[in-house]
Amino acid sequence: MKLAALPDRAVLEISGEDRVAFLQGLISNDVTKARADQALWAALLTPQGKWLADFFVIATPEALLLDVEAAQLAMLIQRLSRFKLRARVALRDASADWRVHAAWGEGAPPEGLAARDPRLPEAGWRLLAGTGLPSNASPADYAAHRLALGLPDGSKDMEAEKSVLLEGGFDELNGISWTKGCYMGQELTARTRYRGLLKRRLVPVAIDGPAPERGTPILAADGAEAGEMRSSQGAQGLALLRLEWLGKGALTAGGARLTPQLPSWMKLPEDKP
């Protein structure tokens, strides 16, 4: 099994007797399904249904632990605190108590708080430990692993206050509950799904040439803009592509040729808009 420390991740602790009900009305997934051995993947949205952050939720008997992007921790605490009102909850940066790791491949995860990554079986595990665990892989190795699976990674692939969850595969990757009831931003998320309004998707791409920087325009053979580059590692990346350009030949970005590689889990409309 491969094990990598993820120093760009932090841990937000939500404690107090109202913690589940408090978070349930705010995020895209069903908090009651989070466990110590099974993480929940979810997003916080704007009231207009646009992505702000996503994270893994791991439940312990005392608290909900959110495995979050470190650069977004302060923003998350600030925004969630606005909704505390009279709820009996406390929010705390617990990054000094926990180190975040990812594990994947054959074998059992090491000791610690190990929760399965809920997105795909091949994604592996999210691990929280009081100290750093002995690693045999790097953050770059983990990036290559998740890119090969087509998994987005927060602000590397999504855009705050602009991206919608279905562009990033949150439906197929178990990041949305369609049955739990209302949460902030639910209306646009549901409308996008049921009315078939999606026009773009994050798609894995093979990169032939120098990896384009995030935000580089992606062009079709006739020069029309087909999308925009997101994160990459080596010869693998994610691109935000307009659906009408999938399956229509070569794409380029900067000095690189991009070949979309649709993963088996991804569902696309039969008739692309």
Side-chain angles (χ1 to χ4, degrees):
M1 173 169 280
K2 297 292 186 180
L3 176 67
L6 302 180
D8 63 343
R9 306 292 293 184
V11 176
L12 170 57
E13 177 189 272
I14 304 178
S15 59
E17 58 187 284
D18 294 338
R19 61 188 181 274
V20 173
F22 165 73
L23 199 59
Q24 184 77 318
L26 295 174
I27 69 173
S28 65
N29 217 334
D30 187 350
V31 182
T32 65
K33 295 183 178 180
R35 305 197 308 265
D37 61 349
Q38 177 66 63
L40 185 83
W41 189 46
L44 178 70
L45 307 178
T46 68
Q48 295 75 33
K50 302 302 178 67
W51 178 92
L52 284 172
D54 61 78
F55 36 77
F56 298 92
V57 183
I58 299 171
T60 72
E62 300 81 23
L64 298 172
L65 300 177
L66 275 59
D67 165 1
V68 307
E69 193 173 339
Q72 295 187 314
L73 177 63
M75 178 274 291
L76 279 169
I77 292 176
Q78 180 186 52
R79 285 189 178 259
L80 293 175
S81 295
R82 297 177 186 173
F83 299 97
K84 284 177 58 177
L85 302 176
R86 296 183 181 179
R88 289 163 289 191
V89 295
L91 286 75
R92 181 176 74 91
D93 178 1
S95 306
D97 302 330
W98 300 100
R99 302 290 186 272
V100 181
H101 305 73
W104 66 98
E106 298 296 328
E111 293 294 326
L113 193 56
R116 288 190 178 275
D117 187 321
R119 296 174 293 179
L120 293 171
E122 302 90 341
W125 301 75
R126 307 296 294 194
L127 292 97
L128 303 181
T131 59
L133 299 172
S135 300
N136 57 10
S138 67
D141 294 327
Y142 176 69
H145 169 65
R146 61 104 184 160
L147 286 166
L149 295 175
L151 304 179
D153 186 9
S155 64
K156 297 181 180 69
D157 298 301
M158 306 289 282
E159 192 169 3
E161 303 190 31
K162 292 187 178 181
S163 296
V164 297
L165 294 190
L166 273 66
E167 290 177 348
F170 278 72
D171 188 6
E172 302 101 308
L173 295 171
N174 305 308
I176 302 172
S177 171
W178 300 106
T179 60
K180 75 162 189 169
C182 294
Y183 59 88
M184 190 164 63
Q186 178 200 21
E187 184 178 351
L188 175 72
T189 305
R191 189 165 66 244
T192 303
R193 183 195 196 201
Y194 295 117
R195 294 186 182 178
L197 300 176
L198 199 65
K199 297 183 181 300
R200 306 181 301 176
R201 287 298 303 260
L202 278 174
V203 176
V205 292
I207 304 170
D208 183 8
E213 293 185 3
R214 186 189 189 282
T216 302
I218 297 172
L219 304 178
D222 63 359
E225 189 162 326
E228 187 176 288
M229 192 67 196
R230 290 295 192 248
S231 66
S232 63
Q233 181 65 47
Q236 191 72 46
L238 281 181
L240 183 65
L241 297 176
R242 295 186 62 85
L243 295 182
E244 68 255 34
W245 292 108
L246 293 177
K248 291 188 176 180
L251 301 173
T252 58
R257 177 187 175 95
L258 306 182
T259 304
Q261 299 177 319
L262 297 180
S264 60
W265 57 261
M266 185 175 289
K267 299 175 184 176
L268 297 175
E270 291 184 8
D271 297 312
K272 301 181 180 65

